[in-house]
Amino acid sequence: MKQFNPFIILSSTSGGDVVVVGGGSGEGGITLPATPMTYNDWLASDWKDDYLEDGEIDAYDFAIWWETCGFSKEKWVEFNPGLPWDDYFG
């Protein structure tokens, strides 16, 4: 789980120029990984989540995460040959 640093929030003064560490938008959220991973690696990662909110974490949640990250079909086939692309992406 990602943690925040309260020093960053408490160190700015109103009215002055505020430097956003990392050049972010200041809206928060999570930073997605730069490279794809296998389904099993995803299950063991911090990225694993119940994206469908149906009470279970499965390959359909993994597919939503994959699409959110913008990874390609070619990489899906390379990293997850046991999960047919067409079963998860219509």
Side-chain angles (χ1 to χ4, degrees), residues 6-90:
F7 175 76
I8 294 171
I9 295 171
L10 300 174
S11 66
S12 68
T13 58
S14 61
D17 291 335
V18 177
V19 176
V20 177
V21 177
S25 67
E27 293 180 13
I30 60 171
T31 302
L32 296 173
T35 59
M37 63 182 75
T38 67
Y39 176 56
N40 288 332
D41 287 343
W42 178 80
L43 285 173
S45 77
D46 290 337
W47 308 113
K48 174 185 79 173
D49 199 1
D50 183 10
Y51 292 93
L52 289 174
E53 298 179 355
D54 61 358
E56 64 181 89
I57 297 174
D58 58 20
Y60 292 100
D61 296 301
F62 176 60
I64 292 170
W65 171 83
W66 188 275
E67 187 173 46
T68 300
C69 291
F71 300 140
S72 69
K73 177 180 180 178
E74 291 76 20
K75 288 294 183 184
W76 176 278
V77 172
E78 176 185 340
F79 281 83
N80 302 286
L83 299 174
W85 172 268
D86 292 334
D87 288 356
Y88 303 96
F89 304 94

